[in-house]
Amino acid sequence: MLEATSLSISYDGNRIVKDVSLHVNEGEIVSIIGPNGSGKSTLLKGMSRLIPCESGRVCIAGQELSAMRSKQISQMMCILCQSNQTPADMTVEELVSYGRTPHKKWFERLTREDHEIIDWAIEQTGMTSYRKRLVVSLSGGEAQRAWIAMALAQRPKVLLLDEPTTYLDIAHQLEVLELVRSLNKELGITVIMVLHDLNQASTYSDKICVIRSGVVELVGKPSEVLTHEMIRNVYGVEAEVEFTPNSTSPRIHPIRRAVANVG
């Protein structure tokens, strides 16, 4: 569904992402993890063409992004970044309606079908009772759901989320991740997200990509990737990795900093 091949991205002459290749199958949830400053968000933005890539290519459904118009890409893929802001007077319904923009001509009015899709997106995210509320009046978890509703209104095949649980308390973190998993299972949306919490990545991912210093270290199922050795080598932390009965997703229990720091 989405494939990056030999992708490199630089800022101010510094190469942040270095020759990264990543293949995401249709209907998968893939989490990108790694230490702070490792290039996770940069990789996600490069894969969405939100920022330019120095070299390499990205394809969606077999089409190379560089050969597609921005509107075409927006009809197939949506990215939500860490910090999203709206005008002070914008309601949830108005925000969600912007998801229809990639499907409209310049100044074209919303049709009955557009309004039906907006209603559907609001309902899917549990925001029906909030539709007339101002976005700025919402809690962090509510606002995140409103933005996901906007993304749904685009009807994307691929949804990219850059740290969707940032600034949320644990209850709202789980609420957002449960919503993401529900949309993935029920609607077949392919999801790629950057996460910091290893246990959340373990629970909500089909596949995990580990990146350190701009280089992909490992890609695989949570049970294959989340090992004592990986956590020690990549994060510089000693941890217990526990497999509970009837679960293939390991639980991570950090213990202490490793003797040798991460290089």
Side-chain angles (χ1 to χ4, degrees), residues 45-179:
K45 292 173 183 176
M47 291 178 71
S48 70
R49 214 177 72 170
L50 194 61
I51 59 175
C53 299
E54 183 178 3
S55 60
R57 65 192 184 99
V58 180
C59 294
I60 183 169
Q63 301 181 69
E64 193 164 342
L65 262 61
S66 62
M68 299 171 65
R69 293 181 290 110
S70 296
K71 193 168 186 176
Q72 288 178 291
I73 296 172
S74 296
Q75 290 172 354
M76 300 183 70
M77 178 167 56
C78 180
I79 181 170
L80 294 180
C81 297
Q82 293 178 37
S83 298
N84 300 296
Q85 295 182 333
T86 63
D89 60 349
M90 179 174 284
T91 66
V92 169
E93 185 174 17
E94 289 169 336
L95 171 63
V96 178
S97 71
Y98 277 95
R100 300 306 300 154
T101 302
H103 302 273
K104 311 302 293 182
K105 296 179 181 178
W106 191 250
F107 286 123
E108 184 181 4
R109 299 174 69 88
L110 295 175
T111 64
R112 180 176 179 178
E113 181 184 5
D114 292 321
H115 284 293
E116 289 175 350
I117 291 172
I118 292 165
D119 291 343
W120 168 83
I122 290 173
E123 182 180 356
Q124 287 290 323
T125 51
M127 294 299 289
T128 301
S129 61
Y130 299 86
R131 65 185 303 147
K132 298 300 182 183
R133 286 269 302 274
L134 297 178
V135 178
V136 294
S137 73
L138 302 178
S139 70
E142 293 163 353
Q144 192 68 290
R145 281 192 286 142
W147 281 97
I148 292 174
M150 187 276 292
L152 274 186
Q154 277 187 227
R155 289 290 180 92
K157 301 293 185 183
V158 180
L159 178 60
L160 300 100
L161 302 170
D162 188 8
E163 299 187 29
T165 58
T166 298
Y167 311 125
L168 301 181
D169 61 41
I170 186 63
H172 286 109
Q173 289 179 28
L174 296 176
E175 178 185 87
V176 167
L177 291 171
E178 287 291 340
L179 171 60

